[in-house]
Amino acid sequence: MYTQSFSVPDNAGQKSARTPSTENPELMAAFDARIDADGRIEPQDWMPEAYRKTLVRQISQHAHSEIVGMLPEGNWISRAPSLKRKAILIAKVQDEGGHGLYLYSAAETLGTSRDQMLEGLHSGKAKYSSIFNYPTLNWADVGVIGWLVDGAAIMNQIPLCRCSYGPYARAMVRVCKEESFHQRQGYEALLVMMQGTEAQRAMVQDAVNRLWWKCLAMFGPPDADSPNSAQGMRWGIKRISNDELRQKFIDATVPQAKVLGVTLPDPDLKWNEERQHHDYGQIDWQEFWNTVEGNGPCNKERLATRVKAHNDGQWVRDAALAYTRKQQQRAQKEAA
Ligand code: FAQ
């Protein structure tokens, strides 16, 4: 269960004296009692290594998703159809970068360094959301990312604001506010296109057709095939299951699609009076796993772009470190 792609060394988090043996039954009982009482765990608190490891896995994957998620939309900054859309898109992509940074900071409080996490991403060992391995072929894709991808991200992230790990939960509050703006801007951009020409309407429908099923897969495998869910729920990291969130997203999106005037590409999508939910068709899980395993249409391109950006930015990190060293030397001289 803990053989995740981002493998945290077994001694991660044991650097500080605050982490006694995981065998200590008293500490374990106190931890369990806090979780049972729906309390928060903070970085200085004792926690079982498996809890720490799960959080590093999830938070770092989440951070990587935000950072890699900048790429499909970033491709459109230079091709946005107006100055207004360009300004909005620059701000949105910048927000996603900010989310990545809050999340890396939250994961660092668990005793894993940012360099370790980035190494996981750049070497292809770490996972990030499957959705960002698909191409953005036309301008409507940018609107659909806002409407559906950010929409799915919010549905998944609102419950994370109540996650048992304090730094992650607090980061999620701001992230969700910003994602909510992103979702609305995407929907508004699509509404404008749908009131435009026949060609614009066709572009929106094409983008929805290509991205709908990929967005449903963002919530992760069905509950029955989700190895991390049971323990994640027990620890109050996950509050709502993958399938339940997927269902909530579908139920919320169907009326929005109607207002927009697009057809969701699923002939089996229909309201079920008895369940009080929409029934929907089969997600292609084989295609999902193929993408998660690195073989989706854009995996290699996304990683190569990310690694190049990191390497190209080395001089900025070097300059910042040199500046800090100089400041420290100056302060020491003045204090002497
Ligand atoms: N893609 O046992 P579960 C965004 C993996 S942010 C790739 O169900 P868990 C913002 C999973 O890691 C989007 N891999 O796992 C934005 C696990 O593998 P592992 C990201 C996936 O953790 C918008 C294995 O499958 N959001 O979009 C995916 O209990 C627009 C078994 O799965 C988050 O990361 C997937 N879709 O539940 C940016 C939210 N699904 O690690 C730019 C936080 C599953 O054992 C533009 N994360 N896997 O090797 C979560 O809520 C959870 O981690 C889940 C997965 C729900 C994603």
Side-chain angles (χ1 to χ4, degrees):
M1 180 160 164
Y2 298 109
T3 55
Q4 295 94 350
S5 52
F6 179 67
S7 50
V8 182
D10 286 341
N11 62 351
Q14 290 178 354
K15 280 177 280 179
S16 76
R18 69 171 188 251
T19 312
S21 159
T22 46
E23 303 301 305
N24 187 321
E26 268 171 47
L27 290 171
M28 193 69 203
F31 172 84
D32 284 341
R34 174 102 54 101
I35 294 286
D36 290 344
D38 214 9
R40 286 272 163 88
I41 306 297
E42 296 297 337
Q44 67 277 13
D45 295 332
W46 182 88
M47 63 188 85
E49 279 312 298
Y51 176 81
R52 186 187 300 278
K53 207 166 176 177
T54 290
L55 281 167
V56 171
R57 175 185 67 80
Q58 177 165 328
I59 303 173
S60 63
Q61 286 178 0
H62 193 167
H64 300 329
S65 303
E66 300 281 357
I67 298 296
V68 178
M70 296 167 77
L71 301 176
E73 288 177 294
N75 279 340
W76 283 91
I77 291 175
S78 60
R79 292 177 284 164
S82 68
L83 183 60
K84 175 180 144 185
R85 294 290 172 200
K86 191 183 183 103
I88 294 171
L89 187 56
I90 289 172
K92 180 185 189 296
V93 172
Q94 205 169 348
D95 282 353
E96 309 298 1
H99 298 172
L101 298 186
Y102 315 149
L103 287 161
Y104 284 129
S105 298
E108 280 173 316
T109 65
L110 291 153
T112 299
S113 74
R114 191 168 305 205
D115 282 346
Q116 274 176 289
M117 292 185 264
L118 290 180
E119 207 283 316
L121 175 66
H122 297 161
S123 65
K125 275 184 274 167
K127 290 190 171 74
Y128 57 85
S129 185
S130 49
I131 188 72
F132 302 119
N133 291 307
Y134 298 96
T136 39
L137 300 180
N138 71 46
W139 170 252
D141 287 33
V142 172
V144 171
I145 289 179
W147 174 38
L148 296 180
V149 176
D150 282 282
I154 297 168
M155 193 58 88
N156 164 268
Q157 286 167 198
I158 292 280
L160 293 174
C161 297
R162 294 186 292 114
C163 163
S164 59
Y165 188 57
Y168 191 26
R170 288 190 287 275
M172 279 299 106
V173 174
R174 177 161 173 183
V175 169
C176 285
K177 284 184 185 161
E178 292 178 353
E179 300 291 25
S180 170
F181 160 73
H182 296 167
Q183 197 264 355
R184 285 167 207 210
Q185 69 79 33
Y187 193 65
E188 192 269 344
L190 296 177
L191 276 174
V192 170
M193 287 184 83
M194 290 303 285
Q195 287 153 17
T197 64
E198 199 48 55
Q200 284 175 304
R201 279 191 286 278
M203 243 192 234
V204 175
Q205 185 61 59
D206 174 55
V208 170
N209 291 349
R210 281 181 290 105
L211 292 168
W212 172 249
W213 290 102
K214 322 293 182 218
C215 289
L216 297 190
M218 279 176 75
F219 295 93
D223 294 350
D225 303 325
S226 163
N228 303 303
S229 275
Q231 187 62 79
M233 304 275 272
R234 159 77 188 90
W235 277 328
I237 296 172
K238 278 175 109 155
R239 298 284 180 172
I240 307 183
S241 81
N242 297 359
D243 284 332
E244 246 183 287
L245 286 172
R246 191 170 5 255
Q247 182 71 65
K248 273 162 128 8
F249 173 72
I250 293 169
D251 291 343
T253 307
V254 168
Q256 294 170 7
K258 206 171 274 174
V259 171
L260 197 55
V262 293
T263 305
L264 296 173
D266 178 0
D268 297 324
L269 186 65
K270 56 176 174 302
W271 179 251
N272 182 323
E273 192 59 36
E274 203 179 317
R275 290 201 312 122
Q276 290 290 299
H277 287 297
H278 291 86
D279 289 338
Y280 57 96
Q282 271 299 318
I283 296 169
D284 186 345
W285 291 113
Q286 203 173 336
E287 202 253 331
F288 166 80
W289 287 117
N290 191 43
T291 301
V292 171
E293 281 156 18
N295 305 311
C298 298
N299 296 59
K300 289 179 184 65
E301 182 190 327
R302 296 287 185 246
L303 266 196
T305 308
R306 195 53 240 141
V307 169
K308 181 177 183 313
H310 185 75
N311 292 342
D312 289 352
Q314 186 61 47
W315 70 271
V316 179
R317 293 188 293 280
D318 291 344
L321 286 174
Y323 178 74
T324 309
R325 265 195 306 273
K326 258 191 197 166
Q327 294 285 92
Q328 283 166 348
Q329 281 163 2
R330 194 169 298 160
Q332 271 168 1
K333 234 186 218 170
E334 279 167 11

